Amino acid sequence: MNNDLIEQKCSILPDEPGCYLMKDRQGTIIYVGKAKILKNRVRSYFKGAHDGKTLRLVQEIVDFEYIVTSSEVEALILELHLIKKHDPKYNIMLKDDKTYPYIKITAEKDPRLIITRQVKKDKGKYFGPYPNSHAAHETKKLLDRLYPLRKCQKMPNRVCLYYHMGQCLAPCVKKIEANAYDKIIHEITSFLNGGHTQVKKELVTKMNSAAEALEFERAKEYRDQISHIEQVMEKQKMTMNDFTSRDIFGFHVDKGWMCVQVFFIRQGKLIERDVSLFPIFRDPEEEFITFLGQFYAKSEHIKPKEIYVPMSTDIDLASKLLEMKIFVPQRGTKKNLVELAEKNAKIALTEKFHLIERQEERTIGAIEQLGDSMNIAPPMRIEAFDNSHIHGTDAVSAMVVFIDGRASKKDYRKYKTKTAAKHDDYGAMREVVRRRYTRVLKENLPLPDLIIIDGGKGQIEAAREIIEDELGLDIPIAGLAKDGKHQTSQLIYGDPLELIPMKRTSEGFYLLQRIQDEVHRFAITFHRQQRGKHTIASSLDGIEGIGPQRKKLLLKHFGSLKKIQAASKEEFMEAGLPSKQAEIMVNHFQKNILSSE
C-alpha cells in the first residue's frame, strides 16, 4: 500500500455522494463501491481494524479514484455500471446463477406460444419463471389446448391437424384480425394470473350443458380440459390468498459473508428459490441494495408486481433504483415468508462456512504462506512456465495462470519455439518469456506478482535475463525442482538463488504442487498434439502428388492416420483429391499393408 499517496488523497476527499474505485499495484481496479459521503466511506478502509478478508483487500490497494455524483441513487446506478464494466475481483458478481424457463407470447404478426430461457426486450409477453422445464411445458400444453394460437414455427401453405382440432385459427390460409389475437392474449394473461379458476367454472358449465344435451363426446372433452387445469394449475399448495407475482428476499450475514435467498411467488404459489452467497466489504444493507440492482439487471429476472424485503432495507433507495414500489411486510403471511427466507439464508450460510473456510485456506491462505516464505507480498497472480520436447523435436512451451490461488484457464497460453536451437532449453525459456512479457507490456495486460519456472537454476537465470536485464521489470522469479521420483521437492528463490524451506504438509506447498502439475500437464498435452500431427504428416511424405497443402487438407478432413490409411478411393475424392490421386493414395497404403505382412 502506498501510504503517503493514499493519506494525501484521503485528506482532500469531498463530503458528497459518489463512487470510489480501488486499484492494485498494476493499476487494475479490484473493488468498486458507492458512498453517501465519500470522505467517511473511503477513509474507513484505511483506519481501524478489519477482518482478514477486508484486510486482504486493503493490503492490495495502492491507489484509488472517485467520482462525485449528485445523489446517492445516482451513485448506486453508477456503481452497478462500473462493476459491470470493470469486473472487479472483490465485487459481487452474479455470473453462475441458473436461468429459468418462461412461457412467451411472441410479438409476431401471427403470435405463437413458446418456451424460452432468454428474456429479451422484443415486445413479447413473458410469463414465469417456472421451477423447471417440465412445469413450463405442461402449462404450455394446457394453453395450446385452450387457446388457438398458431403452433408451427414456419408458416405452411395449408391447414394442419391443429386447425381441425380447434387449436389453431389457420393464419396460413386465413387473414386473422388483430383484435382476435388481442382477445386471446388477454385471456391467456388473465388465465396465468389466476383467471384459470374462472375458466374452469365456465368449462364445468359447458360440460354439464353438453351432458344434458346428450353430447357425451363434447362433455368428455370439457371434462378432460378441467382435469388438466386441476393437474397443472392447482397441484401446488397455495402460499398466498391472491395471484400477484412477488419476489420475497431475505439475507443473513456472518463473518464477512452474506447469503441472499429469493423466493419466487407466481400465481399464489412458491415455485422456486434462488440462493447467492458472497463476501462483503461494507455495510450489509448497502451490499444488499447493490445485489438487488445486479439481480434485476439480468434479463432472466423479470421484475414482478411486488418485491418484499427485510426490515433493515433502505426501501426508498431501493425503490428509486428499481423504479418500482418495494415493500417491507409488517405482519401476516408476507412477513412470515420474508422471515422464512432469512432463516433459510442463515442455514445455508452456516452449512457453507466450513467449505468456504477450507477453500480460503487452500487458496488465499496458501498465497499468504507462499508470500511469507519468500518474504514478498502475497502473489495474487502467479504465472508458471514449462518446456516440453523429445530429443529436441517438436519443442513447445506452456504457461498457466493462477489468480487468488485458483487456476485461471482462460489465461493459459501455448507456445511453439521459433528461434531457439534444438536441445537449447535455456534459449527456449528466454524466447517464450520474452514473447510473453513483451506482449503484456505492449497490450497493457496485468503483470504477475510471481513468475514460477518449472526447472532449476539455469532456467531461472535465463528468465531473469529477459525480465530484469532486457525488459527492466521487477517481478519475483522462482523455480521448482523435483526429486528422483519426479515429485515437487523444493522452491528455489533469491539472489543468490537458495532453497526456500516450506513444510511439505502446508497449504503453500500444496499450491506449488498444483501449479507444477498443471503447467506440466498443459505442456505435455500440447506437445503430444504437435507430435501426433507430425507423425501423421511424416507418414504422407514421399507419396506422389501429396505436398504441404494436400497434407493439411487430408489431416483436417480425416483427423487421424488410421482413418487416412483405411479410406477408400471415394472417401479420398470426398476430401477433395482428384480421381487419379485418390487411386494413388489407396494403392500406396495397400502396398504398405502387404509389405508389412
Side-chain angles (χ1 to χ4, degrees):
M1 189 193 307
N2 190 335
N3 291 320
D4 291 340
L5 174 64
I6 286 177
E7 195 170 323
Q8 290 172 15
K9 284 191 149 186
C10 282
S11 67
I12 58 172
L13 283 163
D15 294 324
E16 295 185 62
C19 288
Y20 51 92
L21 303 89
M22 303 299 195
K23 298 182 176 182
D24 65 9
R25 70 185 186 87
Q26 308 288 353
T28 303
I29 295 168
I30 58 175
Y31 186 70
V32 171
K34 66 95 181 166
K36 188 182 293 185
I37 301 175
L38 279 167
K39 180 172 70 176
N40 296 347
R41 170 49 52 78
V42 176
R43 283 180 175 177
S44 70
Y45 285 94
F46 309 108
K47 294 184 178 181
H50 299 292
D51 60 33
K53 175 176 48 55
T54 305
L55 185 60
R56 281 195 290 271
L57 164 63
V58 174
Q59 286 175 337
E60 283 197 64
I61 299 170
V62 299
D63 194 7
F64 67 84
E65 295 178 9
Y66 61 88
I67 302 169
V68 175
T69 60
S70 58
S71 68
E72 191 178 3
V73 175
E74 189 179 314
L76 181 52
I77 294 170
L78 177 60
E79 177 197 34
L80 294 172
H81 169 73
L82 292 172
I83 290 173
K84 186 175 181 180
K85 178 181 178 181
H86 296 291
D87 191 10
K89 68 178 185 179
Y90 282 105
N91 280 98
I92 305 168
M93 293 306 296
L94 304 180
K95 293 177 179 175
D96 299 324
D97 49 336
K98 62 183 178 181
T99 59
Y100 300 98
Y102 287 80
I103 290 177
K104 173 184 177 181
I105 303 176
T106 66
E108 299 164 280
K109 176 178 175 290
D110 298 293
R112 295 176 294 138
L113 269 176
I114 63 171
I115 292 172
T116 181
R117 289 180 183 266
Q118 293 185 328
V119 179
K120 302 177 181 178
K121 295 179 180 178
D122 57 1
K123 297 183 181 179
K125 289 180 72 73
Y126 293 84
F127 303 91
Y130 287 85
N132 51 59
S133 59
H134 176 74
H137 277 94
E138 285 298 302
T139 306
K140 178 183 177 296
K141 194 187 298 181
L142 172 60
L143 294 171
D144 282 340
R145 292 183 181 183
L146 296 174
Y147 300 103
L149 292 182
R150 73 181 176 99
K151 310 297 186 288
C152 49
Q153 183 174 352
K154 186 177 179 181
M155 196 77 78
N157 54 17
R158 60 180 180 178
V159 298
C160 62
L161 181 61
Y162 288 111
Y163 172 72
H164 296 294
M165 293 168 62
Q167 295 180 19
C168 180
L169 297 176
C172 52
V173 297
K174 298 180 180 180
K175 182 180 179 181
I176 312 300
E177 297 298 330
N179 58 3
Y181 284 132
D182 291 343
K183 183 175 183 294
I184 293 172
I185 292 170
H186 174 76
E187 289 178 0
I188 292 174
T189 303
S190 174
F191 183 94
L192 292 175
N193 288 331
H196 65 271
T197 53
Q198 181 59 38
V199 173
K200 180 182 169 182
K201 288 179 183 177
E202 293 171 0
L203 288 173
V204 169
T205 301
K206 290 179 180 179
M207 179 183 69
N208 293 334
S209 299
E212 288 175 7
L214 304 181
E215 296 175 351
F216 298 118
E217 282 296 323
R218 185 171 293 277
K220 182 178 179 298
E221 289 176 12
Y222 290 136
R223 186 197 66 190
D224 291 345
Q225 289 180 342
I226 292 165
S227 175
H228 207 58
I229 288 175
E230 290 172 344
Q231 289 175 14
V232 174
M233 305 301 293
E234 299 176 3
K235 62 183 178 182
Q236 295 186 17
K237 183 181 176 182
M238 300 295 288
T239 58
M240 294 284 196
N241 293 326
D242 58 38
F243 297 93
T244 303
S245 294
R246 298 180 174 92
D247 287 350
I248 311 288
F249 287 85
F251 67 84
H252 185 75
V253 175
D254 190 15
K255 300 177 186 175
W257 286 79
M258 173 180 277
C259 179
V260 180
Q261 294 253 348
V262 189
F263 291 153
F264 297 120
I265 307 292
R266 299 295 183 270
Q267 301 160 32
K269 307 174 188 69
L270 173 57
I271 66 162
E272 184 59 284
R273 70 170 179 167
D274 186 277
V275 185
S276 298
L277 193 146
F278 45 87
I280 61 173
F281 301 92
R282 54 182 175 177
D283 294 340
E285 291 73 20
E286 291 189 53
E287 292 281 12
F288 176 61
I289 291 178
T290 297
F291 173 89
L292 284 177
Q294 287 187 286
F295 187 82
Y296 288 112
K298 294 183 74 67
S299 61
E300 60 264 32
H301 293 152
I302 298 175
K303 284 185 278 190
K305 288 189 176 180
E306 295 178 358
I307 294 173
Y308 286 84
V309 295
M311 188 83 68
S312 58
T313 310
D314 185 339
I315 58 173
D316 289 338
L317 182 59
S319 296
K320 289 174 183 175
L321 171 67
L322 299 181
E323 297 180 335
M324 64 178 296
K325 184 70 174 175
I326 296 178
F327 302 90
V328 175
Q330 304 297 319
R331 64 184 69 84
T333 303
K334 296 163 189 172
K335 185 173 186 293
N336 292 340
L337 279 170
V338 170
E339 290 174 348
L340 183 62
E342 290 178 313
K343 181 179 178 180
N344 275 272
K346 182 177 181 180
I347 292 169
L349 197 55
T350 302
E351 288 177 349
K352 293 285 185 181
F353 254 126
H354 74 280
L355 180 62
I356 293 167
E357 289 168 356
R358 175 63 180 148
Q359 192 177 52
E360 284 245 304
E361 190 180 328
R362 281 173 53 86
T363 54
I364 302 297
I367 289 169
E368 290 174 343
Q369 281 184 14
L370 187 57
D372 289 341
S373 299
M374 299 175 67
N375 198 27
I376 62 174
M380 312 307 287
R381 183 185 181 98
I382 299 173
E383 297 187 356
F385 294 84
D386 189 18
N387 296 331
S388 180
H389 64 85
I390 295 178
H391 306 303
T393 62
D394 297 317
V396 299
S397 296
M399 181 197 76
V400 301
V401 179
F402 276 62
I403 298 175
D404 297 341
R406 298 182 181 90
S408 178
K409 295 193 175 184
K410 68 181 179 64
D411 294 311
Y412 287 12
R413 295 293 181 267
K414 297 181 283 193
Y415 299 92
K416 292 181 187 178
T417 306
K418 296 178 178 179
T419 60
K422 288 183 179 181
H423 308 287
D424 185 2
D425 280 348
Y426 301 157
M429 186 58 67
R430 290 189 195 95
E431 177 189 331
V432 170
V433 170
R434 181 186 293 112
R435 285 165 60 186
R436 167 63 182 168
Y437 295 107
T438 300
R439 182 169 186 174
V440 165
L441 293 171
K442 183 179 178 181
E443 298 182 8
N444 198 28
L445 300 173
L447 286 164
D449 302 304
L450 173 64
I451 294 172
I452 290 180
I453 306 299
D454 188 5
K457 294 183 179 180
Q459 291 202 347
I460 297 171
E461 291 299 344
R464 185 180 285 171
E465 284 178 31
I466 304 302
I467 294 295
E468 296 179 4
D469 300 342
E470 188 173 312
L471 299 178
L473 296 173
D474 181 18
I475 303 172
I477 305 172
L480 289 174
K482 292 186 177 181
D483 58 21
K485 296 180 181 178
H486 212 65
Q487 303 267 326
T488 306
S489 62
Q490 52 197 17
L491 176 68
I492 308 169
Y493 175 67
D495 189 12
L497 290 167
E498 60 182 7
L499 299 181
I500 304 299
M502 292 190 73
K503 286 185 179 180
R504 300 182 71 85
T505 56
S506 69
E507 292 297 344
F509 190 80
Y510 290 148
L511 174 61
L512 290 176
Q513 284 184 320
R514 292 198 299 276
I515 292 172
Q516 189 172 39
D517 290 345
E518 182 66 355
V519 71
H520 184 66
R521 178 200 66 78
F522 193 51
I524 287 293
T525 301
F526 183 40
H527 180 260
R528 284 173 180 163
Q529 290 170 350
Q530 295 302 114
R531 192 177 65 199
K533 288 179 181 178
H534 291 169
T535 301
I536 296 172
S538 62
S539 70
L540 300 176
D541 290 346
I543 302 177
E544 182 186 346
I546 300 298
Q549 291 303 317
R550 280 185 172 164
K551 281 183 185 179
K552 288 181 182 179
L553 182 147
L554 291 170
L555 290 172
K556 185 175 181 180
H557 182 83
F558 290 101
S560 73
L561 177 59
K562 189 175 181 180
K563 289 181 179 178
I564 292 174
Q565 290 173 330
S568 65
K569 178 180 176 181
E570 290 72 21
E571 287 172 326
F572 280 123
M573 291 175 68
E574 286 178 9
L577 296 185
S579 175
K580 184 178 179 182
Q581 186 64 56
E583 196 169 328
I584 291 173
M585 292 293 293
V586 172
N587 292 336
H588 172 82
F589 288 115
Q590 284 181 349
K591 183 179 178 182
N592 284 351
I593 291 171
L594 291 171
S595 63
S596 65
E597 291 178 347

